[in-house]
Amino acid sequence: MLFTVTLTRQMIKGKGNGSVPFFISPMISIMETSLQAVEQMVKAMLAEDLTYFLVEMKVKPTNNIKIYLDGDQGITIEKCITFNRALYRKIEEAGLFPGGDFSLEVSSPGLDEPLKLFRQYKKNLGRPVEVILKDGMKVVGKMVDVQEDKIQVEETRGKNKKLEVIQHHFPFENIKSTKIQAAF
């Protein structure tokens, strides 16, 4: 089971109502403190180069920290390695995990992960996407516009004389997920 910072905070908030056993609460609190410290380290590192940004951070109960970074022009594997090495050193020096009992993975989200941030939508303007709405509707097309509150996707149906181009406008609040589609 993966823990995100949000999930952990929800669990801590619920500890007084019996949803988290009393003996697990201290462990969650320690993990939450470590996660917050790691998140602050990541943000400090990213503040030095504003072309990169934090997309998501996940932690497994085995102290496996996964950090997903992206950049306005993408992020290279070499840059991920650089961030990984620097962050690993900072975590070790801070002694956040007793005995150095943690592992760290820094990568880009990859095509199988949905877009999570507005900045990712802007970066992927003009690319083919699959949008799944909260009502279950699925549209595959080219993302042609991104605004603060919505995206526009151009869907092409049919061929030759029966070719039809449909412009969809989807408010972010109606989108369940948006994934980039690989173009071959």
Side-chain angles (χ1 to χ4, degrees):
M1 177 178 183
L2 293 175
F3 288 99
T4 63
V5 174
T6 304
L7 177 60
T8 304
R9 286 183 181 137
Q10 290 170 346
M11 292 173 71
I12 289 171
K13 288 178 184 173
K15 71 181 176 185
N17 64 12
S19 65
V20 177
F22 71 93
F23 58 87
I24 293 178
S25 292
M27 181 176 74
I28 291 171
S29 182
I30 291 168
M31 188 165 68
E32 173 71 11
T33 303
S34 297
L35 287 176
Q36 287 174 345
V38 171
E39 186 175 8
Q40 291 306 314
M41 289 176 188
V42 171
K43 287 180 179 179
M45 289 173 62
L46 293 173
E48 296 172 13
D49 190 344
L50 299 176
T51 60
Y52 300 104
F53 53 94
L54 175 65
V55 175
E56 186 175 24
M57 197 169 105
K58 297 179 181 179
V59 177
K60 292 183 180 180
T62 57
N63 292 340
N64 177 307
I65 305 165
K66 291 188 178 194
I67 296 175
Y68 297 99
L69 301 177
D70 206 345
D72 295 323
Q73 303 300 316
I75 188 166
T76 64
I77 192 164
E78 291 81 13
K79 197 65 175 176
C80 288
I81 291 169
T82 302
F83 278 119
N84 185 298
R85 288 181 179 158
L87 185 58
Y88 194 94
R89 212 172 10 261
K90 288 179 183 279
I91 294 170
E92 272 189 322
E93 289 170 2
L96 296 175
F97 298 92
D101 183 26
F102 73 97
S103 63
L104 177 65
E105 296 175 37
V106 176
S107 70
S108 66
L111 289 177
D112 57 332
E113 290 289 320
L115 302 179
K116 292 179 173 45
L117 304 173
F118 179 74
R119 202 165 167 184
Q120 287 180 293
Y121 278 90
K122 291 292 278 185
K123 170 193 155 199
N124 287 292
L125 187 62
R127 295 191 64 190
V129 293
E130 174 190 78
V131 179
I132 300 175
L133 300 177
K134 291 179 181 175
D135 67 4
M137 181 179 159
K138 180 169 118 176
V139 173
V140 176
K142 181 177 167 183
M143 187 164 47
V144 294
D145 190 28
V146 178
Q147 297 177 13
E148 292 291 328
D149 59 341
K150 65 183 174 188
I151 63 171
Q152 181 180 347
V153 176
E154 184 177 272
E155 178 184 16
T156 305
R157 293 184 188 167
K159 293 182 181 179
N160 301 325
K161 291 182 180 181
K162 294 185 179 184
L163 185 67
E164 180 182 16
V165 177
I166 303 164
Q167 300 293 326
H168 298 278
H169 298 269
F170 301 121
F172 283 114
E173 66 222 19
N174 295 345
I175 298 174
K176 180 178 180 182
S177 71
T178 302
K179 291 185 179 182
I180 302 302
Q181 300 296 291
F184 296 103

